[in-house]
């Protein structure tokens, strides 16, 4: 019962002892309490109860009972670090027990051998135990033994054997009521899925196991370790470190097993190193090495030494002795049959290369390179990285590029099995070394075309194929609805000055649930995504358009200028200096969004000139007179490119990669030309451009008075809105001819009511589908007759339905960028935030989207050179062009910019062309100029 219902077993054992039972029964009760304390509580109490159980078994003159207790005691002693005493207890247990009892003792000793990393002894003991347990018809212990044997097989890399044993064990568990063991079986399947390379399945199974353990009320530190390992493989090292640190705190709080603490510290060291915190990694790994050594756990001690060496190298402590240390670790891991052995050989070879020890490097790299043809994806990538370094040392550019190509192909296949865009983005970090080696070789060979190909090979790869669409999961949909409700309530409470701590805790819990479910999604079959072709790009650019791709090698910006049938390379400034200048520009734009900061305008313009020199260098003089497409690296995503003098008066668009620009250019607009205007709540300007745009697209002439003093007509909008901004002077109202007259707009107000002025013969929108305010399915919507969603009508489900497949969407809503969790970046609707996960549920996102509020074009740079944020989530989903903002802007000054932008679109211009003309039409004061610079056109529509 202690593994079926642990807490109930504990209570019954304590109740039995209260009744003064005979020694035999008391021995059982103390053993149960000892098991509970060993696995879920204080190991000191566990040892006291187990020793008492052993003594009572001897008093009862029951050798079988005594053997069983000695096995339990042996496990507890090993977990407290008393390995010699634990093994001695097992020797006595094997000698005292017979038949069925001895088989159970052997099973538990096999478990201890596994804990100690002595896998040969573990397999021998568990093999002997399984034969007897099966003959005795002991279903529970046979299933446990099969699970253990599968786990040992996994440690040795024998995934197929492990999966066979896990399947056999799960079939047996299905006939029992051992809920704890069933949870352990699910956890084990998750581990097997991870070892076979199926990260989404591993996350799903481990989350399921966590729910099962939680229902039993038992903390499971091994689950924390395995979840953290999977998260690290998925590129989520900071989350893995946080989970392990929390588990260590819990373990210390209950006086838990020292063996588990050592294992947790090892995982924490690996997570810290991958998260870029080398000093923490060194400290955790050093403690883990000492603990494993004291516990005589050589397998784990060797793995901890590998992490310690890696962390020391990352911390800049490279020295000649580390080559020998890494080589010794590699040799020992290979003798264990550990899958990490090639990683250690690669490390030894890499350190030797840095020291110029080419002969030593070749020896170690040759060993590591053997893993490139077999094993899980990350092991094969290790092998190809070693092969690429061998080729570089030998001076073979062709060999470097071939090894990098093969290694990144492995990563692509692995990446495409991941359904979540976040996992795909973060997984690319594992190919950063290969991509950097290829770019370095391309630059050395002197071919700008080749450098362009390799720059594209690892840039914004997530955008080359849409993410898997979230499943129609009722739990996920329910969580999304609850998340919006809680977020809206929290925002309301903040505005009213009420406490929000409880609401924020619930919001974070829901975010974790939503994120976990999206990470479970599997991707498409390997081989998806576009392949970049330089000829195709140059043909698309023609003679007029220039594409400027910025690559970074050894910290310096390399400018690849594409157009007129050729690719040219120019060298610009240092990336670090450009990043600092971009931050100064951002600070200046924030100041200029407020009145009274006009004196900052020359400072910001001067910073723009410096940015041009650092980012474009001599290429600025070769841009021609036509449109320009800028493809920056992820770390420069916040540069306001229109501020650079050479780009200021141009048709300018930005793209995360040349591949995504080509894809956007070749995306066909949807039929019907449906336009959507959305106005979210709480805007300082009231989203003033939305009713003006609705009027302009409608049949009414627009009054010419300055809009700053003019209340908007109420119509179906409810209360009139006076569009005064929160910052700065009011901009002039546009002239009446700013927009040509179109068919009347459909307005959906808070009651869900739709109104169309005119009739169907005049191009009015048909209303049907059984719900007010929505065109009937399949009925055409007149071009330029927008649906306006505002007030309570601008709720997320309705907004998503209208956005799906629209030709143009203009959304005026508060934008919030979440650096900690980019896919929870949001637009504020009437019922709460519209997040990136919502957009990923669309069959097709709008062909063009205009986001008129602050910070909607902010991204998080993750992985190798990937961007996560609202704009980049839209581009793979059918959106060909986006206008969004990289900085805070003046609310009032946005209105004339947006109206002028729509005027250009109405005249048939692209987003980039219309944005260029809209900037030129703005007044010349500092507030309006800064507002124009802050907006960028992304894509190619």
């Amino acid at each position: 019962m202690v593994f079926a219902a642990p807490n109930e077993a504990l209570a019954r054992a304590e109740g039995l002892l209260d009744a003064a039972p005979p020694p035999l029964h008391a021995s059982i009760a103390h053993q149960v309490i000892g098991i509970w304390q060993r696995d879920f509580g204080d190991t000191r109490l566990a040892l006291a109860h187990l020793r008492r159980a052993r003594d009572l078994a001897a008093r009862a003159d029951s050798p079988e009972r005594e053997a069983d207790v000695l096995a339990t005691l042996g496990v507890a002693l090993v977990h407290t670090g008393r390995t010699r005493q634990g093994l001695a207890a097992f020797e006595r247990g094997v000698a005292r027990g017979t038949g069925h009892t001895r088989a159970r003792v052997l099973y538990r000793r096999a478990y201890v051998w596994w804990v100690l990393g002595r896998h040969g002894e573990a397999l021998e003991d568990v093999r002997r135990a399984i034969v007897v347990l099966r003959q005795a018809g002991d279903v529970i212990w046979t299933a446990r033994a099969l699970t253990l044997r599968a786990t040992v097989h996994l440690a040795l890399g024998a995934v197929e054997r492990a999966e066979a044993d896990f399947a056999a064990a799960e079939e047996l568990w299905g006939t029992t009521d051992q809920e704890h063991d069933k949870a352990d079986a699910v956890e084990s399947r998750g581990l097997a899925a991870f070892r076979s390379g199926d990260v989404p399945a591993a996350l799903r199974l481990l989350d399921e196991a966590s729910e099962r353990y939680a229902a039993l009320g038992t903390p499971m530190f091994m689950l924390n370790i395995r979840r953290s390992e999977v998260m690290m493989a998925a590129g989520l090292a900071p989350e893995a470190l946080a989970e392990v640190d929390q588990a260590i705190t819990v373990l210390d709080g209950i006086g838990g097993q020292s063996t588990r603490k050592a294992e947790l510290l090892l995982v924490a060291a690996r997570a810290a190193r991958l998260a870029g915190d080398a000093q923490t990694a060194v400290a955790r790994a050093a403690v883990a090495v000492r603990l494993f050594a004291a516990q005589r756990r050589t397998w784990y001690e060797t793995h901890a030494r590998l992490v310690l060496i890696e962390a020391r190298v990352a911390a800049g402590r490279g020295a000649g002795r580390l080559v020998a240390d890494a080589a010794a670790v590699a040799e020992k891991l290979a003798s264990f049959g550990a899958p990490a052995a090639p990683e250690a050989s690669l490390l030894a070879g890499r350190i030797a290369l840095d020291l110029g020890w080419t002969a030593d490097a070749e020896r170690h790299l040759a060993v590591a390179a053997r893993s490139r043809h077999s094993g899980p994806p990350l092991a094969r990538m290790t092998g190809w990285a070693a092969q690429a370094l061998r080729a570089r040392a030998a001076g073979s550019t062709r060999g470097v590029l071939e090894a990098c190509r093969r290694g990144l192909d492995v990563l692509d296949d692995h990446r495409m099995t991941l359904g979540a865009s976040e996992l795909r983005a973060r997984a690319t970090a594992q190919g950063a070394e290969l991509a950097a080696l290829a770019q370095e070789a391309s630059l050395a060979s002197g071919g700008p075309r080749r450098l362009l190909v390799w720059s594209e090979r690892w840039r914004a790869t997530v955008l080359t194929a849409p993410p898997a669409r979230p499943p129609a999961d009722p739990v996920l949909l329910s969580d999304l609805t609850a998340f919006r409700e809680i977020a809206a309530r929290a925002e309301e409470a903040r505005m009213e000055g009420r406490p929000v701590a409880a609401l924020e805790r619930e919001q974070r819990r829901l975010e974790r649930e939503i994120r976990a479910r999206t990470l479970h999604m599997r991707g498409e079959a390997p081989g998806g995504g576009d392949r970049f072709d330089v000829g195709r790009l140059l043909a698309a650019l023609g003679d007029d358009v220039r594409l400027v791709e910025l690559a970074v090698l050894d910290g310096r910006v390399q400018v690849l200028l594409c157009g007129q049938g050729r690719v040219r390379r120019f060298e610009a400034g240092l990336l670090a200096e450009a990043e600092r200048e971009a931050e100064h520009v951002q600070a200046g734009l924030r100041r200029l969004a407020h009145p009274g900061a006009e004196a900052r305008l020359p400072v910001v313009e001067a910073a723009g000139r410096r940015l041009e020199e650092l980012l474009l260098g001599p290429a600025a003089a070769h841009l021609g007179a036509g449109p320009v497409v800028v493809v920056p690296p992820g770390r420069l995503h916040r540069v306001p490119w229109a501020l650079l003098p050479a780009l200021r008066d141009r048709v300018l668009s930005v793209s995360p990669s040349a591949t995504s620009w080509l894809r956007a250019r070749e995306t066909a607009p949807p039929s019907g030309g449906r336009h959507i205007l959305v106005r979210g709540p709480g805007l300082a300007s009231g989203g003033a451009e939305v009713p003006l745009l609705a009027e302009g697209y409608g049949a009414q002439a627009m009054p010419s008075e300055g809009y700053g003093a003019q209340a908007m007509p109420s119509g179906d909008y409810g209360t009139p809105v006076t569009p005064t901004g929160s910052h700065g002077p009011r901009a002039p109202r546009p002239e009446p001819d700013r927009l040509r007259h179109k068919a009347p707009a459909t307005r959906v107000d808070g009651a869900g009511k739709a109104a169309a002025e005119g009739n169907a013969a005049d191009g009015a929108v048909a209303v049907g589908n059984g719900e007010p305010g929505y065109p009937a399915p399949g009925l055409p919507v007149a071009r330029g007759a927008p649906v306006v969603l505002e007030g309570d009508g601008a709720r997320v489900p309705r907004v998503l339905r209208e956005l799906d497949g629209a030709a143009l969407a203009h959304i005026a809503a508060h934008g919030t960028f979440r650096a900690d969790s980019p896919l929870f970046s949001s637009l504020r609707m009437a019922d709460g935030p519209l997040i990136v996960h919502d957009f990923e549920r669309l069959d097709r996102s709008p062909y063009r989207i205009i986001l008129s509020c602050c910070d909607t074009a902010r991204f998080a740079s993750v992985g190798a050179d990937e961007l996560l944020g609202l704009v980049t989530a839209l581009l793979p989903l059918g959106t060909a062009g986006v206008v969004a903002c990289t900085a805070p802007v003046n609310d009032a000054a946005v209105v004339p910019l947006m109206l002028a932008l729509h005027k250009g679109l109405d005249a048939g211009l692209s987003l980039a062309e219309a944005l260029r003309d809209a900037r030129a039409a703005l007044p010349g004061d500092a507030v309006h100029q800064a507002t124009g610079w802050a907006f960028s056109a992304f894509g190619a529509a």
Side-chain angles (χ1 to χ4, degrees), residues 189-207 226-236 376-378 411 413-420 422-424 426-427 430 516-523:
R189 284 169 48 216
L191 181 61
F194 170 50
R195 294 284 189 261
S196 63
D198 192 343
V199 170
L203 289 171
R204 176 178 56 79
L205 289 164
L206 293 177
D207 284 348
R226 288 169 173 170
R227 274 177 49 84
S228 297
E229 288 176 343
V230 176
M231 285 192 285
M232 283 187 283
L236 305 174
L378 299 185
L411 177 60
D413 287 347
H414 167 64
R415 185 173 52 82
M416 292 306 294
T417 67
L418 307 174
E422 179 180 2
L423 288 188
R424 289 186 183 182
R426 295 186 185 278
Q430 294 152 350
R517 287 190 172 272
T518 56
L519 296 183
H520 296 169
M521 295 186 299
R522 279 193 58 80

